[in-house]
Amino acid sequence: MSETRLTIRRPDDWHLHLRDGEMLKSVLPSTSANFRRAIIMPNLVPPVVTSQDAASYRERILAALPAGHDFTPLMTLYLTETTDADDLEQAFRSGLIAGVKLYPAGATTNSQSGVRDFDKVTGVLERMAEIGLPLLVHGEVTSADVDIFDREAVFIETVLDPIRRKFPELKVVMEHITTEEGVAYAKSGGDNLGATITTHHLIINRNDILVGGIKPHFYCLPVAKREKHRLALRAAATSGDATFFLGTDSAPHLDQNKLCECGCAGIFSSLNTMSCLAHVFEEEEALGKLEAFASLNGPAFYGMAPNEATIDLVKGSEKVSYPPSIPTPDGPVTLFNPGYDLLWKVENQL
């Protein structure tokens, strides 16, 4: 088998969890070797809620960056009911932050400080719309009477659409969409609405989590849905539509915190994402659209230039070897396993 080579601009990750401390030091190289920029999630403990918090976290990320890696963390603030609009605006105008993250309280890992009463953030959202600061939404309701597989569709109808009608100038990113309803709404939203899609939601559905025994390393939030939704996501990602761009939502957890009675939600995929995506796009006969999804659409939405540097994705006959997990001082973090051999490798990475 002869090699197949695809050259694309260096990709960015528009939704990433790096955690902090020793975990940050252990997982950061998997991103910085492959991606030029990444939107950094603020759901630490305690969360990143002020410009000072964001500046300090950025310094810790840069201090952990391996020598020779050309990587820029794009910081975000965690929206709370007491967020200071002036502090937020100063952070944005100075270039410190690129977005503000909305977590409905209790929706996912470390989201307890999120928004419960949306009336209390009206002033902040109005300011964000005025200055062009994107709102990044974890799009799920948390009401106990809403089935976990319906939370995204209900969020769009009862929370997101009313916000966008009230603030039509507000730039919004629907992060890690998982449903055909999410795809349809994102497509209908115009230039102020974008949507990220994760690597794993293009590959797994809910059967992969549950059939033949529970697979904790496939458990994430938003949870993977029915096959029809996975296929809708694949069609969107491989379409070339500028609405959709890559946000891995790579979310590392120690194995001991995944493989327990109440395991954490999150899939760590930074290390092998580009190999996985090349496989998916080839299956969909859309390799020519991979650069748009991974390298062009995200910067365009955020008003940034695409990266000048390039990477090569090379497909050969030999399986690409990735470790099943990466070590940290506190224990291993399992890498996402797509369930098939990966033949595409990344060249020209740092």
Side-chain angles (χ1 to χ4, degrees):
M1 174 182 174
S2 61
E3 286 188 341
T4 302
R5 182 176 294 267
L6 176 68
T7 300
I8 65 171
R9 290 178 186 254
R10 194 170 173 206
D12 301 303
D13 186 348
W14 299 95
H15 184 124
L16 176 68
H17 297 269
L18 287 176
R19 312 305 187 199
D20 212 345
E22 294 301 325
M23 179 68 85
L24 163 63
K25 296 174 185 177
S26 298
V27 303
L28 176 59
S30 295
T31 288
S32 60
N34 291 289
F35 300 94
R36 174 64 180 81
R37 298 170 288 207
I39 289 279
I40 310 300
M41 291 296 104
N43 59 330
L44 304 183
V45 180
V48 178
V49 297
T50 68
S51 59
Q52 184 175 352
D53 294 338
S56 296
Y57 188 24
R58 187 177 188 275
E59 289 176 4
R60 297 196 297 275
I61 294 170
L62 293 176
L65 192 64
H69 281 210
D70 182 17
F71 173 74
T72 299
L74 303 173
M75 309 309 294
T76 62
L77 294 183
Y78 188 121
L79 182 63
T80 73
E81 294 173 4
T82 58
T83 291
D84 183 330
D86 291 335
D87 180 63
L88 176 152
E89 179 172 355
Q90 183 276 328
F92 179 56
R93 293 195 183 280
S94 71
L96 175 61
I97 65 169
V100 174
K101 183 61 185 275
L102 167 61
Y103 287 108
T108 189
T109 302
N110 301 337
S111 62
Q112 295 83 356
S113 300
V115 177
R116 289 178 168 82
D117 183 352
F118 285 91
D119 288 339
K120 293 182 178 179
V121 296
T122 295
V124 172
L125 296 179
E126 184 175 18
R127 181 76 65 87
M128 291 173 62
E130 290 173 357
I131 64 177
L133 175 56
L135 177 69
L136 319 180
V137 300
H138 180 109
E140 295 186 286
V141 297
T142 57
S143 303
D145 60 341
V146 178
D147 188 279
I148 191 170
F149 293 103
D150 298 329
R151 286 180 169 186
E152 182 173 298
V154 174
F155 178 89
I156 292 169
E157 179 182 352
T158 64
V159 179
L160 180 57
D161 193 59
I163 286 175
R164 295 189 62 246
R165 290 181 184 277
K166 189 170 186 177
F167 304 103
E169 301 304 314
L170 181 65
K171 295 191 72 169
V172 176
V173 179
M174 299 170 64
E175 298 200 302
H176 47 49
I177 59 172
T178 60
T179 61
E180 58 184 7
E181 291 90 349
V183 168
Y185 188 79
K187 282 183 177 180
S188 70
D191 293 341
N192 280 344
L193 185 63
T196 62
I197 301 175
T198 76
T199 310
H200 53 274
H201 284 117
L202 295 171
I203 295 171
I204 65 170
N205 61 28
R206 66 186 191 178
N207 278 5
D208 294 305
I209 305 173
L210 299 170
V211 172
I214 295 174
K215 315 298 191 307
H217 292 300
F218 284 167
Y219 173 56
C220 57
L221 288 173
V223 70
K225 308 296 195 299
R226 292 178 181 272
E227 176 67 357
K228 68 175 183 177
H229 299 297
R230 186 185 75 93
L231 295 178
L233 295 174
R234 282 171 76 106
T238 61
S239 68
D241 187 326
T243 303
F244 304 103
F245 40 96
L246 174 63
T248 65
D249 194 19
S250 183
H253 291 285
L254 298 175
D255 282 2
Q256 66 194 39
N257 294 330
K258 293 284 290 181
L259 307 175
C260 60
E261 184 176 354
C262 187
C264 294
I267 292 174
F268 174 63
S269 63
S270 291
L271 187 60
N272 63 353
T273 272
M274 294 311 299
S275 292
C276 291
L277 289 178
H279 183 103
V280 168
F281 277 67
E282 183 181 35
E283 283 189 331
E284 298 296 323
E285 300 181 349
L287 278 173
K289 304 291 181 60
L290 178 55
E291 184 177 51
F293 179 69
S295 310
L296 301 179
N297 295 347
F301 183 85
Y302 278 90
M304 301 178 187
N307 298 315
E308 292 294 334
T310 61
I311 62 168
D312 289 337
L313 290 158
V314 181
K315 182 184 181 184
S317 58
E318 297 295 323
K319 175 184 175 181
V320 182
S321 178
Y322 287 103
S325 63
I326 65 166
T328 81
D330 300 313
V333 175
T334 290
L335 179 67
F336 174 61
N337 180 354
Y340 44 71
D341 289 347
L342 293 170
L343 301 179
W344 288 89
K345 65 180 178 181
V346 182
E347 292 186 352
N348 303 335
Q349 65 184 157
L350 299 180

